[in-house]
Amino acid sequence: MSIKSFKIEVSPSLGKVSAKYVVPDKAVCIFTLAHGAGAGMDHSFMETLADALSKAGIATLRFNFPFAENKKFRPDSPAVAHLTIEAAIKKARELNPKLPLFVSGKSFGGRMSSQFLAAHSDDSVKGIIFYGFPLHPSGKPSIERADHLKELKIPMLFLQGSKDALAEWPLIKKVCDSLRKATLVKLEGADHSFKAGKTDVMSLLVNETKKWVEKIILL
């Protein structure tokens, strides 16, 4: 495994953001990996996930959104987030053009990634993985945030905790049941941060990710 750190230019006006490319010796695919609204790419969850995915043969390009790069607490607007994701996808292609490319994200990062892909269809992207899709604000159950998912033509993997306050189980199940290319995996007892007592949720996340990715690659 090797780790490379560098900057990615989002746009001339927004400047550059930090990125890390974690690649195993024999990678089977590459992910863009976008962080959530509460922390940047170096949050312990993101680092642990990237390391665990690498051990499973999955390379990752994780990156900061501009708000995290500039140590601001308020997440970027969708327009800014989408530009950042576009730049990350382009960089991932450049880093390893022969590897199958997937897009992924934790919470806000996943939702912004799917919004971008819904508006900009990209045949080079084989699928998208949501590490906790934030379907609604805590205490305000609704499904409007999922409307754009109907526009996606690629396979989708939803890894969701059964106790996720940002995606009540009956609602996220209803959404995924309505999407022909969606796969929903229930992580029993896990919350939005994927904490579930003494359960090793990270291993479950990576195992489910690897199993799903291998099916897509073989299609």
Side-chain angles (χ1 to χ4, degrees):
M1 181 179 77
S2 66
I3 302 174
K4 297 177 182 178
S5 299
F6 43 80
K7 299 274 189 177
I8 298 174
E9 183 174 71
V10 177
S11 73
S13 59
L14 293 169
K16 297 180 179 181
V17 293
S18 299
K20 284 187 179 178
Y21 179 44
V22 181
V23 56
D25 295 331
K26 294 182 179 180
V28 297
C29 63
I30 182 171
F31 283 16
T32 57
L33 181 56
H35 64 78
M41 70 171 190
D42 288 329
H43 184 270
S44 59
F45 175 85
M46 299 295 290
E47 284 198 350
T48 303
L49 179 59
D51 180 66
L53 288 171
S54 178
K55 290 174 181 175
I58 298 170
T60 57
L61 174 65
R62 70 184 197 271
F63 55 92
N64 275 336
F65 286 109
F67 81 91
E69 186 73 13
N70 296 309
K71 295 180 171 55
K72 295 181 179 179
F73 296 105
R74 185 173 181 175
D76 297 309
S77 67
V80 171
H82 296 170
L83 282 173
T84 311
I85 290 157
E86 181 178 25
I89 290 173
K90 180 181 178 182
K91 184 65 176 180
R93 280 201 213 94
E94 292 174 359
L95 286 168
N96 212 319
K98 293 182 180 180
L99 285 181
L101 172 63
F102 292 82
V103 169
S104 71
K106 174 74 177 80
S107 193
F108 170 85
R111 185 164 74 98
M112 292 298 105
S113 295
S114 58
Q115 284 182 358
F116 171 75
L117 290 173
H120 304 84
S121 182
D122 188 335
D123 292 338
S124 72
V125 176
K126 303 301 181 185
I128 183 167
I129 300 93
F130 299 102
Y131 293 101
F133 185 84
L135 186 58
H136 54 74
S138 181
K140 298 180 179 179
S142 62
I143 60 171
E144 286 77 15
R145 285 184 177 179
D147 287 347
H148 70 280
L149 298 174
K150 299 170 186 175
E151 305 302 320
L152 290 174
K153 309 301 181 188
I154 56 176
M156 294 167 262
L157 174 62
F158 292 79
L159 296 159
Q160 301 285 154
S162 65
K163 294 184 178 180
D164 189 339
L166 275 62
E168 291 188 2
W169 186 257
L171 295 182
I172 193 67
K173 187 176 187 305
K174 179 181 178 181
V175 166
C176 290
D177 285 347
S178 72
L179 299 169
R180 189 169 61 87
K181 293 196 173 185
T183 298
L184 174 62
V185 175
K186 186 178 188 178
L187 299 164
E188 200 63 56
D191 62 12
H192 191 65
S193 298
F194 292 113
K195 293 178 181 177
K198 295 182 179 180
T199 302
D200 182 7
V201 180
M202 183 60 69
S203 291
L204 296 175
L205 288 172
V206 173
N207 289 341
E208 292 292 344
T209 299
K210 183 181 181 182
K211 183 168 63 176
W212 181 82
V213 162
E214 288 174 344
K215 287 181 182 178
I216 302 302
I217 291 173
L218 291 172
L219 288 177

